[in-house]
Amino acid sequence: MTASGKRPAPLRPRPLVKREQRHRRLLLLGLAALLVLSISPVFGHHVVVAADWLPASLEHLGPFCMIALHHLLAPVHGVFHLLLWSGLAFSLIDRCRAAWRHGHMMRSLDIAGSHADDRLERAAVAIGFNPNRVHLVRGLPNPAFTSGWWSPQIYVSTSLLSMLSAEELEAVLAHELGHVRRRDPMRQFAWRTLAGVLFWLPALRRLADELADESEILADDFAATERALPLASAILRMVGADAEDLTVAVGFQRRDLVERRVRRLAGEDPSVASHVSARSLLWAATVLVAVWTSGVIVLHPLPEPGMASNHCDHVGTWSLTHMFCRHGSTGDDCPHQSSPGHASLT
């Protein structure tokens, strides 16, 4: 027992803490990298001047014809412009709908203040939180949650009061207080917004999901200073499982996340695994190669109409067949020449 009369929290293994910190940094780095690498090539060519390193006089890049590449990849670049604008519209509509549904749900709830139950009010005071920002809800499917951007509030189901002991109830409120202090509702809304903008990158959505999981872990840590074991016990009660059989734990969170939370609160060393699939990473890599290649190539300016050029561009020739134009070939010497003179590619 500590001087305050609370049971000491189990110490989390130091290697676990380091792995979790490294995992969170990688998640944030991956999220930032996907955002920068997928968006910057789409509009970057509008602000970057490439005349010094990619001038119009550069007619070949190795064996590749720059004009043919430009004609081939300009439509690909246009598709990414369309996807980005579509993602902005989709994310705006999706987040507005989510905010409207949440507001409609909150207005329909039967909400009472914490003063409606002495145990809830005492628990709020015990964790040092304003009882006026803790609310009791009848018929709430989620046992407890935090809602609100600027001044988050805690909502607790009436069924939770009969399910938990006073110490477990304090632990649950302390966990929710961790969400309040970090303003997690706003963070998660922002992550979902970004994932919606880049809906064509499933890896970004998975990263947002994992960051939401990590917010639960960090909220556990906030509550676990003196309430680790009561919080673990409360989690098991809420999911309807006991410590020996987590395989039946279903409900408000994924089974693997529940297991990880309970084990680390008990002082064990659970693995920290990513749920970002290899397929989603492969797709993200493929898309990034396409967006960057097309973004760079359209920086290369096409010759002005009527401007004299040493390059062989001609009528009736597909850009793909002109891809490997011979270096320095002009006029009749061009291997793809289909008509005399110079004209633009089709």
Side-chain angles (χ1 to χ4, degrees):
M1 301 286 286
T2 64
S4 62
K6 301 288 186 180
R7 286 194 294 268
L11 295 175
R12 283 172 294 285
R14 187 172 180 81
L16 171 64
V17 174
K18 289 185 176 181
R19 285 202 308 274
E20 289 179 336
Q21 291 174 343
R22 182 168 60 250
H23 181 62
R24 292 182 197 115
R25 285 195 294 266
L26 288 175
L27 289 177
L28 290 171
L29 181 62
L31 188 72
L34 282 180
L35 287 172
V36 173
L37 294 177
S38 59
I39 294 177
S40 57
V42 176
F43 61 83
H45 74 284
H46 296 292
V47 295
V48 175
V49 178
D52 294 336
W53 59 278
L54 206 61
S57 59
L58 178 65
E59 297 177 344
H60 295 89
L61 185 65
F64 298 103
C65 168
M66 290 297 294
I67 295 179
L69 282 173
H70 190 121
H71 280 282
L72 285 170
L73 294 179
V76 177
H77 184 72
V79 168
F80 285 114
H81 268 284
L82 180 62
L83 285 174
L84 183 57
W85 285 112
S86 300
L88 288 170
F90 167 78
S91 185
L92 177 63
I93 294 171
D94 178 69
R95 291 296 88 196
C96 287
R97 289 180 58 190
W100 183 87
R101 287 195 301 266
H102 181 75
H104 178 73
M105 183 269 292
M106 296 299 295
R107 289 189 294 271
S108 66
L109 293 177
D110 185 5
I111 301 176
S114 61
H115 59 272
D117 187 277
D118 292 339
R119 290 182 61 215
L120 183 60
E121 189 170 20
R122 287 196 299 269
V125 172
I127 66 170
F129 190 55
N130 184 358
N132 293 328
R133 293 173 63 184
V134 180
H135 308 279
L136 189 62
V137 185
R138 292 177 178 84
L140 190 66
N142 193 337
F145 68 91
T146 300
S147 177
W149 283 12
W150 309 114
S151 181
Q153 314 280 312
I154 297 176
Y155 298 85
V156 178
S157 172
T158 52
S159 61
L160 200 62
L161 300 181
S162 59
M163 185 188 307
L164 304 180
S165 67
E167 195 173 18
E168 290 168 341
L169 182 59
E170 290 178 13
V172 170
L173 289 185
H175 170 90
E176 296 302 326
L177 181 56
H179 288 308
V180 170
R181 294 285 186 258
R182 285 171 41 84
R183 286 187 167 82
D184 280 333
M186 182 187 296
R187 289 173 183 263
Q188 294 188 24
F189 191 89
W191 294 331
R192 303 296 181 194
T193 301
L194 294 175
V197 171
L198 300 179
F199 67 93
W200 32 278
L201 286 177
L204 189 62
R205 184 173 62 252
R206 290 177 180 266
L207 287 173
D209 291 340
E210 290 211 20
L211 285 170
D213 289 350
E214 292 305 309
S215 70
E216 296 297 328
I217 298 299
L218 291 171
D220 283 348
D221 287 345
F222 183 89
T225 304
E226 295 180 336
R227 300 180 175 90
L229 293 179
L231 180 57
S233 175
I235 292 172
L236 290 174
R237 289 181 187 273
M238 287 188 287
V239 299
D242 56 35
E244 286 75 32
D245 188 13
L246 280 174
T247 60
V248 298
V250 295
F252 67 102
Q253 285 180 355
R254 288 196 328 273
R255 186 176 305 162
D256 60 331
L257 179 58
V258 171
E259 181 176 4
R260 178 187 169 193
R261 292 179 63 189
V262 172
R263 289 185 60 192
R264 67 190 303 281
L265 286 169
E268 297 182 24
D269 188 3
S271 60
V272 183
S274 174
H275 297 282
V276 180
S277 67
R279 180 179 298 180
S280 66
L281 289 177
L282 180 61
W283 172 252
T286 303
V287 170
L288 290 179
V289 169
V291 71
W292 269 92
T293 302
S294 60
V296 169
I297 292 301
V298 295
L299 282 169
H300 179 263
L302 291 174
E304 295 291 337
M307 178 183 296
S309 172
N310 292 326
H311 195 72
C312 49
D313 37 6
H314 21 250
V315 173
T317 303
W318 292 96
S319 298
L320 187 60
T321 63
H322 192 68
M323 180 70 70
F324 299 101
C325 179
R326 189 174 300 161
H327 279 261
S329 298
T330 58
D332 295 334
D333 296 330
C334 177
H336 303 296
Q337 183 72 42
S338 58
S339 62
H342 294 284
S344 60
L345 290 172
T346 59

